[in-house]
Amino acid sequence: MTKNDRTSWDGAMTTGRGPSTHVASAPYPWPFDGDLRRENTALVVIDMQTDFCGKGGYIDLLGYDISLTRACIEPISRVLAAMRKAGFHVLHTREGHRPDLSDLPANKRWRSRKSSSGVGIGDPGPCGRVLVRGEPGWDIIPELAPAQGEPIIDKPGKGSFCATDLELMLRQMGIRNLVLTGITTDVCVHTTMREANDRGFECLLLEDCCAATDYGNHLAALKMVKMQGGVFGAVASSVALLDTIRTTGDG
């Protein structure tokens, strides 16, 4: 960000309406038009649940190394604290199904049981019934617990817009910029980013604030975002975002 780009969040507007603010990101400075303000920007923390990054949770039962999905907890925590302090909107998502499993497709349940443990979605596990709403494993980890008043979007699928009221809430709140974090990069985070992009939201993915069960998949997902001049948005580090917040005096 150049000296002329620096401004307060309250003064950052599009070209012709005042100075602009950008985060250093690839393949372009984000957001594309420099209209970055606390009023129109939200941090979305996706599926930071015990089932995806905790001992005895779904990912652990599938046999994956949960240290990979836990790697983004500390960076997300720093971004969460800074954006809360600066007055940005914050939303959280949780993937999970109704206790009667009426919203769980048969093929999704079948696939979930194809592991060495044989425990799939809806089955009893060390953290309660796997990915079932209200169970301990389904809830967001304490380190990233939502603050009072921060909306939680409960979703039955990978994308955060499918069968939820997320888009309605974002439109009502006047949000047009989304800072995306969470797990996993290649599945729920990427699906949400693609869905958001199709709806006209300007998306930034923080590369160290998301993670996957396979590091190669994580890198590939980041690369896909940056193709075609930023086909789904832009990618930045949490440091770049925090530097922008500090530069403007709101961090």
Side-chain angles (χ1 to χ4, degrees):
M1 186 171 64
T2 67
K3 183 177 180 180
N4 291 335
D5 288 330
R6 295 172 185 172
T7 183
S8 69
W9 295 110
D10 292 325
M13 296 185 180
T14 55
T15 303
R17 297 172 57 195
S20 59
T21 299
H22 291 98
V23 176
S25 56
Y28 62 87
W30 185 87
F32 78 99
D33 58 1
D35 187 13
L36 177 55
R37 293 172 283 123
R38 61 165 67 92
E39 295 86 359
N40 71 356
T41 304
L43 172 67
V44 184
V45 184
I46 298 172
D47 296 3
M48 292 304 298
Q49 301 160 250
T50 297
D51 268 331
F52 294 130
C53 62
K55 186 67 177 175
Y58 178 44
I59 293 299
D60 190 31
L61 292 174
L62 287 175
Y64 292 108
D65 180 3
I66 61 171
S67 68
L68 293 175
T69 53
R70 292 187 64 82
C72 62
I73 294 175
E74 186 176 347
I76 293 175
S77 180
R78 290 195 296 268
V79 170
L80 191 56
M83 295 190 77
R84 282 170 172 165
K85 181 180 178 182
F88 286 87
H89 299 278
V90 176
L91 301 95
H92 306 258
T93 76
R94 288 181 298 210
E95 181 179 346
H97 296 277
R98 296 172 180 269
D100 64 3
L101 305 183
S102 58
D103 59 352
L104 175 61
N107 62 341
K108 183 177 181 180
R109 191 177 194 190
W110 172 85
R111 176 185 53 78
S112 73
R113 288 171 163 169
K114 306 296 285 185
S115 66
S116 58
S117 71
V119 178
I121 297 173
D123 297 332
C127 299
R129 295 176 68 201
V130 175
L131 282 181
V132 169
R133 296 177 184 181
E135 299 288 334
W138 158 85
D139 213 353
I140 295 169
I141 59 174
E143 298 96 316
L144 300 175
Q148 185 174 3
E150 292 177 351
I152 304 173
I153 307 300
D154 284 317
K155 59 190 184 70
K158 301 170 182 65
S160 299
F161 291 88
C162 179
T164 76
D165 54 3
L166 175 58
E167 182 174 9
L168 174 63
M169 294 174 65
L170 294 175
R171 302 294 185 196
Q172 287 292 104
M173 296 161 71
I175 302 300
R176 46 93 72 194
N177 301 322
L178 299 179
V179 178
L180 300 173
T181 66
I183 49 182
T184 59
T185 317
D186 54 333
V187 184
C188 294
V189 177
H190 223 268
T191 303
T192 296
M193 189 173 197
R194 289 167 179 248
E195 290 180 329
N197 177 265
D198 278 348
R199 288 166 169 79
F201 293 99
E202 173 68 343
C203 298
L204 179 69
L205 181 58
L206 297 184
E207 59 190 359
D208 56 331
C209 289
C210 56
T213 55
D214 179 273
Y215 188 60
N217 286 358
H218 169 75
L219 295 177
L222 297 178
K223 181 179 179 181
M224 281 188 276
V225 172
K226 294 182 283 187
M227 298 298 289
Q228 301 177 41
V231 65
F232 302 122
V235 177
S237 68
S238 62
V239 172
L241 175 66
L242 294 176
D243 282 349
T244 300
I245 293 174
R246 294 189 187 103
T247 299
T248 61
D250 280 322

PDB file of all heavy atoms in Angstrom, residues 208-242:
ATOM      1  N   ASP A 208      -2.511 -17.999   5.768  1.00  0.00           N
ATOM      2  CA  ASP A 208      -2.058 -18.631   7.003  1.00  0.00           C
ATOM      3  C   ASP A 208      -3.184 -18.780   8.018  1.00  0.00           C
ATOM      4  O   ASP A 208      -2.976 -19.326   9.100  1.00  0.00           O
ATOM      5  CB  ASP A 208      -0.889 -17.857   7.623  1.00  0.00           C
ATOM      6  CG  ASP A 208      -1.223 -16.395   7.878  1.00  0.00           C
ATOM      7  OD1 ASP A 208      -2.061 -15.829   7.146  1.00  0.00           O
ATOM      8  OD2 ASP A 208      -0.633 -15.801   8.799  1.00  0.00           O
ATOM      9  N   CYS A 209      -4.376 -18.317   7.649  1.00  0.00           N
ATOM     10  CA  CYS A 209      -5.542 -18.437   8.522  1.00  0.00           C
ATOM     11  C   CYS A 209      -6.517 -19.482   8.007  1.00  0.00           C
ATOM     12  O   CYS A 209      -7.697 -19.480   8.371  1.00  0.00           O
ATOM     13  CB  CYS A 209      -6.243 -17.086   8.656  1.00  0.00           C
ATOM     14  SG  CYS A 209      -5.322 -15.889   9.615  1.00  0.00           S
ATOM     15  N   CYS A 210      -6.040 -20.351   7.124  1.00  0.00           N
ATOM     16  CA  CYS A 210      -6.829 -21.488   6.674  1.00  0.00           C
ATOM     17  C   CYS A 210      -5.895 -22.683   6.564  1.00  0.00           C
ATOM     18  O   CYS A 210      -4.674 -22.534   6.563  1.00  0.00           O
ATOM     19  CB  CYS A 210      -7.532 -21.209   5.345  1.00  0.00           C
ATOM     20  SG  CYS A 210      -6.443 -20.726   3.999  1.00  0.00           S
ATOM     21  N   ALA A 211      -6.450 -23.871   6.510  1.00  0.00           N
ATOM     22  CA  ALA A 211      -5.635 -25.084   6.494  1.00  0.00           C
ATOM     23  C   ALA A 211      -6.446 -26.230   5.919  1.00  0.00           C
ATOM     24  O   ALA A 211      -7.681 -26.172   5.857  1.00  0.00           O
ATOM     25  CB  ALA A 211      -5.167 -25.435   7.908  1.00  0.00           C
ATOM     26  N   ALA A 212      -5.729 -27.275   5.497  1.00  0.00           N
ATOM     27  CA  ALA A 212      -6.368 -28.451   4.918  1.00  0.00           C
ATOM     28  C   ALA A 212      -5.787 -29.713   5.534  1.00  0.00           C
ATOM     29  O   ALA A 212      -4.757 -29.665   6.220  1.00  0.00           O
ATOM     30  CB  ALA A 212      -6.175 -28.467   3.396  1.00  0.00           C
ATOM     31  N   THR A 213      -6.434 -30.839   5.303  1.00  0.00           N
ATOM     32  CA  THR A 213      -5.928 -32.111   5.816  1.00  0.00           C
ATOM     33  C   THR A 213      -4.732 -32.602   5.013  1.00  0.00           C
ATOM     34  O   THR A 213      -4.037 -33.532   5.420  1.00  0.00           O
ATOM     35  CB  THR A 213      -7.024 -33.180   5.785  1.00  0.00           C
ATOM     36  OG1 THR A 213      -7.550 -33.273   4.452  1.00  0.00           O
ATOM     37  CG2 THR A 213      -8.157 -32.819   6.745  1.00  0.00           C
ATOM     38  N   ASP A 214      -4.491 -31.973   3.860  1.00  0.00           N
ATOM     39  CA  ASP A 214      -3.336 -32.279   3.026  1.00  0.00           C
ATOM     40  C   ASP A 214      -2.712 -30.955   2.602  1.00  0.00           C
ATOM     41  O   ASP A 214      -3.393 -30.115   1.993  1.00  0.00           O
ATOM     42  CB  ASP A 214      -3.767 -33.088   1.795  1.00  0.00           C
ATOM     43  CG  ASP A 214      -2.597 -33.408   0.872  1.00  0.00           C
ATOM     44  OD1 ASP A 214      -2.287 -32.565   0.003  1.00  0.00           O
ATOM     45  OD2 ASP A 214      -2.011 -34.492   1.026  1.00  0.00           O
ATOM     46  N   TYR A 215      -1.431 -30.752   2.903  1.00  0.00           N
ATOM     47  CA  TYR A 215      -0.802 -29.470   2.636  1.00  0.00           C
ATOM     48  C   TYR A 215      -0.749 -29.168   1.137  1.00  0.00           C
ATOM     49  O   TYR A 215      -0.885 -28.016   0.722  1.00  0.00           O
ATOM     50  CB  TYR A 215       0.605 -29.426   3.229  1.00  0.00           C
ATOM     51  CG  TYR A 215       1.248 -28.055   3.162  1.00  0.00           C
ATOM     52  CD1 TYR A 215       0.660 -26.959   3.791  1.00  0.00           C
ATOM     53  CD2 TYR A 215       2.423 -27.859   2.455  1.00  0.00           C
ATOM     54  CE1 TYR A 215       1.227 -25.697   3.718  1.00  0.00           C
ATOM     55  CE2 TYR A 215       3.007 -26.596   2.375  1.00  0.00           C
ATOM     56  CZ  TYR A 215       2.409 -25.523   3.008  1.00  0.00           C
ATOM     57  OH  TYR A 215       2.983 -24.273   2.929  1.00  0.00           O
ATOM     58  N   GLY A 216      -0.582 -30.186   0.330  1.00  0.00           N
ATOM     59  CA  GLY A 216      -0.594 -29.987  -1.110  1.00  0.00           C
ATOM     60  C   GLY A 216      -1.924 -29.446  -1.595  1.00  0.00           C
ATOM     61  O   GLY A 216      -1.972 -28.585  -2.487  1.00  0.00           O
ATOM     62  N   ASN A 217      -3.011 -29.956  -1.026  1.00  0.00           N
ATOM     63  CA  ASN A 217      -4.334 -29.448  -1.379  1.00  0.00           C
ATOM     64  C   ASN A 217      -4.499 -27.988  -0.970  1.00  0.00           C
ATOM     65  O   ASN A 217      -5.135 -27.194  -1.675  1.00  0.00           O
ATOM     66  CB  ASN A 217      -5.420 -30.294  -0.723  1.00  0.00           C
ATOM     67  CG  ASN A 217      -5.592 -31.645  -1.387  1.00  0.00           C
ATOM     68  OD1 ASN A 217      -4.932 -31.955  -2.374  1.00  0.00           O
ATOM     69  ND2 ASN A 217      -6.467 -32.468  -0.839  1.00  0.00           N
ATOM     70  N   HIS A 218      -3.950 -27.648   0.190  1.00  0.00           N
ATOM     71  CA  HIS A 218      -3.990 -26.269   0.672  1.00  0.00           C
ATOM     72  C   HIS A 218      -3.322 -25.335  -0.346  1.00  0.00           C
ATOM     73  O   HIS A 218      -3.895 -24.319  -0.749  1.00  0.00           O
ATOM     74  CB  HIS A 218      -3.289 -26.186   2.028  1.00  0.00           C
ATOM     75  CG  HIS A 218      -3.037 -24.793   2.522  1.00  0.00           C
ATOM     76  ND1 HIS A 218      -4.036 -23.988   3.033  1.00  0.00           N
ATOM     77  CD2 HIS A 218      -1.888 -24.061   2.574  1.00  0.00           C
ATOM     78  CE1 HIS A 218      -3.513 -22.819   3.392  1.00  0.00           C
ATOM     79  NE2 HIS A 218      -2.214 -22.845   3.122  1.00  0.00           N
ATOM     80  N   LEU A 219      -2.123 -25.708  -0.782  1.00  0.00           N
ATOM     81  CA  LEU A 219      -1.389 -24.883  -1.742  1.00  0.00           C
ATOM     82  C   LEU A 219      -2.114 -24.799  -3.080  1.00  0.00           C
ATOM     83  O   LEU A 219      -2.169 -23.730  -3.707  1.00  0.00           O
ATOM     84  CB  LEU A 219       0.022 -25.440  -1.941  1.00  0.00           C
ATOM     85  CG  LEU A 219       0.951 -25.391  -0.719  1.00  0.00           C
ATOM     86  CD1 LEU A 219       2.284 -26.038  -1.058  1.00  0.00           C
ATOM     87  CD2 LEU A 219       1.150 -23.957  -0.229  1.00  0.00           C
ATOM     88  N   ALA A 220      -2.667 -25.914  -3.517  1.00  0.00           N
ATOM     89  CA  ALA A 220      -3.396 -25.928  -4.787  1.00  0.00           C
ATOM     90  C   ALA A 220      -4.627 -25.027  -4.721  1.00  0.00           C
ATOM     91  O   ALA A 220      -4.948 -24.317  -5.690  1.00  0.00           O
ATOM     92  CB  ALA A 220      -3.793 -27.353  -5.146  1.00  0.00           C
ATOM     93  N   ALA A 221      -5.311 -25.047  -3.597  1.00  0.00           N
ATOM     94  CA  ALA A 221      -6.508 -24.215  -3.440  1.00  0.00           C
ATOM     95  C   ALA A 221      -6.147 -22.736  -3.495  1.00  0.00           C
ATOM     96  O   ALA A 221      -6.877 -21.927  -4.101  1.00  0.00           O
ATOM     97  CB  ALA A 221      -7.208 -24.545  -2.126  1.00  0.00           C
ATOM     98  N   LEU A 222      -5.037 -22.367  -2.875  1.00  0.00           N
ATOM     99  CA  LEU A 222      -4.587 -20.978  -2.932  1.00  0.00           C
ATOM    100  C   LEU A 222      -4.250 -20.579  -4.363  1.00  0.00           C
ATOM    101  O   LEU A 222      -4.592 -19.474  -4.825  1.00  0.00           O
ATOM    102  CB  LEU A 222      -3.362 -20.778  -2.036  1.00  0.00           C
ATOM    103  CG  LEU A 222      -3.549 -21.007  -0.537  1.00  0.00           C
ATOM    104  CD1 LEU A 222      -2.224 -20.817   0.188  1.00  0.00           C
ATOM    105  CD2 LEU A 222      -4.612 -20.075   0.042  1.00  0.00           C
ATOM    106  N   LYS A 223      -3.583 -21.478  -5.075  1.00  0.00           N
ATOM    107  CA  LYS A 223      -3.204 -21.197  -6.458  1.00  0.00           C
ATOM    108  C   LYS A 223      -4.430 -20.988  -7.337  1.00  0.00           C
ATOM    109  O   LYS A 223      -4.452 -20.092  -8.198  1.00  0.00           O
ATOM    110  CB  LYS A 223      -2.347 -22.336  -7.011  1.00  0.00           C
ATOM    111  CG  LYS A 223      -1.875 -22.118  -8.445  1.00  0.00           C
ATOM    112  CD  LYS A 223      -1.002 -23.279  -8.935  1.00  0.00           C
ATOM    113  CE  LYS A 223      -0.555 -23.054 -10.371  1.00  0.00           C
ATOM    114  NZ  LYS A 223       0.288 -24.185 -10.869  1.00  0.00           N
ATOM    115  N   MET A 224      -5.461 -21.796  -7.128  1.00  0.00           N
ATOM    116  CA  MET A 224      -6.668 -21.689  -7.946  1.00  0.00           C
ATOM    117  C   MET A 224      -7.333 -20.327  -7.801  1.00  0.00           C
ATOM    118  O   MET A 224      -7.879 -19.786  -8.772  1.00  0.00           O
ATOM    119  CB  MET A 224      -7.657 -22.794  -7.576  1.00  0.00           C
ATOM    120  CG  MET A 224      -7.313 -24.145  -8.184  1.00  0.00           C
ATOM    121  SD  MET A 224      -8.629 -25.363  -7.925  1.00  0.00           S
ATOM    122  CE  MET A 224      -8.225 -25.929  -6.297  1.00  0.00           C
ATOM    123  N   VAL A 225      -7.307 -19.768  -6.598  1.00  0.00           N
ATOM    124  CA  VAL A 225      -7.902 -18.453  -6.374  1.00  0.00           C
ATOM    125  C   VAL A 225      -7.220 -17.394  -7.235  1.00  0.00           C
ATOM    126  O   VAL A 225      -7.874 -16.496  -7.789  1.00  0.00           O
ATOM    127  CB  VAL A 225      -7.802 -18.054  -4.883  1.00  0.00           C
ATOM    128  CG1 VAL A 225      -8.238 -16.600  -4.671  1.00  0.00           C
ATOM    129  CG2 VAL A 225      -8.637 -18.986  -4.018  1.00  0.00           C
ATOM    130  N   LYS A 226      -5.898 -17.515  -7.369  1.00  0.00           N
ATOM    131  CA  LYS A 226      -5.109 -16.476  -8.036  1.00  0.00           C
ATOM    132  C   LYS A 226      -5.053 -16.601  -9.556  1.00  0.00           C
ATOM    133  O   LYS A 226      -4.517 -15.719 -10.226  1.00  0.00           O
ATOM    134  CB  LYS A 226      -3.688 -16.483  -7.455  1.00  0.00           C
ATOM    135  CG  LYS A 226      -3.647 -16.071  -5.986  1.00  0.00           C
ATOM    136  CD  LYS A 226      -2.241 -16.023  -5.431  1.00  0.00           C
ATOM    137  CE  LYS A 226      -1.688 -17.387  -5.123  1.00  0.00           C
ATOM    138  NZ  LYS A 226      -0.377 -17.319  -4.422  1.00  0.00           N
ATOM    139  N   MET A 227      -5.596 -17.665 -10.104  1.00  0.00           N
ATOM    140  CA  MET A 227      -5.592 -17.848 -11.551  1.00  0.00           C
ATOM    141  C   MET A 227      -6.513 -16.827 -12.236  1.00  0.00           C
ATOM    142  O   MET A 227      -7.437 -16.296 -11.618  1.00  0.00           O
ATOM    143  CB  MET A 227      -6.037 -19.266 -11.912  1.00  0.00           C
ATOM    144  CG  MET A 227      -5.121 -20.362 -11.365  1.00  0.00           C
ATOM    145  SD  MET A 227      -3.434 -20.282 -12.000  1.00  0.00           S
ATOM    146  CE  MET A 227      -3.706 -20.788 -13.705  1.00  0.00           C
ATOM    147  N   GLN A 228      -6.246 -16.565 -13.501  1.00  0.00           N
ATOM    148  CA  GLN A 228      -7.083 -15.687 -14.324  1.00  0.00           C
ATOM    149  C   GLN A 228      -7.251 -14.295 -13.709  1.00  0.00           C
ATOM    150  O   GLN A 228      -8.319 -13.693 -13.767  1.00  0.00           O
ATOM    151  CB  GLN A 228      -8.457 -16.320 -14.567  1.00  0.00           C
ATOM    152  CG  GLN A 228      -8.403 -17.671 -15.263  1.00  0.00           C
ATOM    153  CD  GLN A 228      -9.778 -18.292 -15.413  1.00  0.00           C
ATOM    154  OE1 GLN A 228     -10.746 -17.596 -15.734  1.00  0.00           O
ATOM    155  NE2 GLN A 228      -9.870 -19.595 -15.199  1.00  0.00           N
ATOM    156  N   GLY A 229      -6.186 -13.809 -13.096  1.00  0.00           N
ATOM    157  CA  GLY A 229      -6.227 -12.469 -12.519  1.00  0.00           C
ATOM    158  C   GLY A 229      -7.002 -12.365 -11.232  1.00  0.00           C
ATOM    159  O   GLY A 229      -7.373 -11.275 -10.800  1.00  0.00           O
ATOM    160  N   GLY A 230      -7.251 -13.512 -10.609  1.00  0.00           N
ATOM    161  CA  GLY A 230      -8.003 -13.520  -9.359  1.00  0.00           C
ATOM    162  C   GLY A 230      -9.431 -13.963  -9.598  1.00  0.00           C
ATOM    163  O   GLY A 230     -10.385 -13.240  -9.298  1.00  0.00           O
ATOM    164  N   VAL A 231      -9.587 -15.175 -10.119  1.00  0.00           N
ATOM    165  CA  VAL A 231     -10.892 -15.651 -10.560  1.00  0.00           C
ATOM    166  C   VAL A 231     -11.911 -15.732  -9.428  1.00  0.00           C
ATOM    167  O   VAL A 231     -13.112 -15.549  -9.653  1.00  0.00           O
ATOM    168  CB  VAL A 231     -10.749 -17.014 -11.279  1.00  0.00           C
ATOM    169  CG1 VAL A 231     -10.267 -18.110 -10.339  1.00  0.00           C
ATOM    170  CG2 VAL A 231     -12.046 -17.418 -11.975  1.00  0.00           C
ATOM    171  N   PHE A 232     -11.444 -15.984  -8.197  1.00  0.00           N
ATOM    172  CA  PHE A 232     -12.359 -16.020  -7.055  1.00  0.00           C
ATOM    173  C   PHE A 232     -12.100 -14.905  -6.045  1.00  0.00           C
ATOM    174  O   PHE A 232     -12.812 -14.799  -5.050  1.00  0.00           O
ATOM    175  CB  PHE A 232     -12.262 -17.370  -6.335  1.00  0.00           C
ATOM    176  CG  PHE A 232     -12.570 -18.543  -7.219  1.00  0.00           C
ATOM    177  CD1 PHE A 232     -11.641 -19.554  -7.397  1.00  0.00           C
ATOM    178  CD2 PHE A 232     -13.778 -18.636  -7.886  1.00  0.00           C
ATOM    179  CE1 PHE A 232     -11.913 -20.636  -8.221  1.00  0.00           C
ATOM    180  CE2 PHE A 232     -14.058 -19.708  -8.718  1.00  0.00           C
ATOM    181  CZ  PHE A 232     -13.122 -20.718  -8.889  1.00  0.00           C
ATOM    182  N   GLY A 233     -11.043 -14.104  -6.273  1.00  0.00           N
ATOM    183  CA  GLY A 233     -10.685 -13.054  -5.335  1.00  0.00           C
ATOM    184  C   GLY A 233      -9.183 -12.932  -5.230  1.00  0.00           C
ATOM    185  O   GLY A 233      -8.466 -13.101  -6.218  1.00  0.00           O
ATOM    186  N   ALA A 234      -8.695 -12.644  -4.031  1.00  0.00           N
ATOM    187  CA  ALA A 234      -7.266 -12.451  -3.821  1.00  0.00           C
ATOM    188  C   ALA A 234      -6.812 -13.230  -2.596  1.00  0.00           C
ATOM    189  O   ALA A 234      -7.623 -13.676  -1.772  1.00  0.00           O
ATOM    190  CB  ALA A 234      -6.942 -10.968  -3.666  1.00  0.00           C
ATOM    191  N   VAL A 235      -5.492 -13.395  -2.478  1.00  0.00           N
ATOM    192  CA  VAL A 235      -4.878 -14.116  -1.361  1.00  0.00           C
ATOM    193  C   VAL A 235      -3.855 -13.206  -0.699  1.00  0.00           C
ATOM    194  O   VAL A 235      -3.069 -12.535  -1.377  1.00  0.00           O
ATOM    195  CB  VAL A 235      -4.188 -15.408  -1.853  1.00  0.00           C
ATOM    196  CG1 VAL A 235      -3.484 -16.114  -0.692  1.00  0.00           C
ATOM    197  CG2 VAL A 235      -5.195 -16.343  -2.514  1.00  0.00           C
ATOM    198  N   ALA A 236      -3.853 -13.193   0.632  1.00  0.00           N
ATOM    199  CA  ALA A 236      -2.893 -12.392   1.385  1.00  0.00           C
ATOM    200  C   ALA A 236      -2.522 -13.127   2.659  1.00  0.00           C
ATOM    201  O   ALA A 236      -3.179 -14.098   3.057  1.00  0.00           O
ATOM    202  CB  ALA A 236      -3.474 -11.019   1.724  1.00  0.00           C
ATOM    203  N   SER A 237      -1.480 -12.656   3.311  1.00  0.00           N
ATOM    204  CA  SER A 237      -1.123 -13.168   4.630  1.00  0.00           C
ATOM    205  C   SER A 237      -1.879 -12.370   5.689  1.00  0.00           C
ATOM    206  O   SER A 237      -2.319 -11.236   5.443  1.00  0.00           O
ATOM    207  CB  SER A 237       0.382 -13.035   4.869  1.00  0.00           C
ATOM    208  OG  SER A 237       0.740 -11.667   4.979  1.00  0.00           O
ATOM    209  N   SER A 238      -2.011 -12.944   6.866  1.00  0.00           N
ATOM    210  CA  SER A 238      -2.650 -12.214   7.955  1.00  0.00           C
ATOM    211  C   SER A 238      -1.837 -10.983   8.326  1.00  0.00           C
ATOM    212  O   SER A 238      -2.390  -9.952   8.711  1.00  0.00           O
ATOM    213  CB  SER A 238      -2.827 -13.122   9.168  1.00  0.00           C
ATOM    214  OG  SER A 238      -1.578 -13.570   9.673  1.00  0.00           O
ATOM    215  N   VAL A 239      -0.512 -11.064   8.187  1.00  0.00           N
ATOM    216  CA  VAL A 239       0.358  -9.923   8.494  1.00  0.00           C
ATOM    217  C   VAL A 239       0.022  -8.738   7.600  1.00  0.00           C
ATOM    218  O   VAL A 239      -0.035  -7.589   8.057  1.00  0.00           O
ATOM    219  CB  VAL A 239       1.840 -10.314   8.341  1.00  0.00           C
ATOM    220  CG1 VAL A 239       2.737  -9.089   8.456  1.00  0.00           C
ATOM    221  CG2 VAL A 239       2.231 -11.347   9.386  1.00  0.00           C
ATOM    222  N   ALA A 240      -0.213  -8.997   6.316  1.00  0.00           N
ATOM    223  CA  ALA A 240      -0.553  -7.915   5.391  1.00  0.00           C
ATOM    224  C   ALA A 240      -1.852  -7.231   5.792  1.00  0.00           C
ATOM    225  O   ALA A 240      -1.960  -6.000   5.752  1.00  0.00           O
ATOM    226  CB  ALA A 240      -0.656  -8.461   3.973  1.00  0.00           C
ATOM    227  N   LEU A 241      -2.847  -8.025   6.173  1.00  0.00           N
ATOM    228  CA  LEU A 241      -4.117  -7.443   6.606  1.00  0.00           C
ATOM    229  C   LEU A 241      -3.932  -6.639   7.884  1.00  0.00           C
ATOM    230  O   LEU A 241      -4.414  -5.505   8.003  1.00  0.00           O
ATOM    231  CB  LEU A 241      -5.154  -8.540   6.816  1.00  0.00           C
ATOM    232  CG  LEU A 241      -6.504  -8.063   7.380  1.00  0.00           C
ATOM    233  CD1 LEU A 241      -7.217  -7.159   6.388  1.00  0.00           C
ATOM    234  CD2 LEU A 241      -7.377  -9.249   7.758  1.00  0.00           C
ATOM    235  N   LEU A 242      -3.220  -7.207   8.846  1.00  0.00           N
ATOM    236  CA  LEU A 242      -3.010  -6.513  10.110  1.00  0.00           C
ATOM    237  C   LEU A 242      -2.203  -5.238   9.921  1.00  0.00           C
ATOM    238  O   LEU A 242      -2.452  -4.233  10.595  1.00  0.00           O
ATOM    239  CB  LEU A 242      -2.305  -7.448  11.103  1.00  0.00           C
ATOM    240  CG  LEU A 242      -3.132  -8.660  11.551  1.00  0.00           C
ATOM    241  CD1 LEU A 242      -2.297  -9.577  12.450  1.00  0.00           C
ATOM    242  CD2 LEU A 242      -4.407  -8.239  12.265  1.00  0.00           C
TER     243      LEU A 242
END
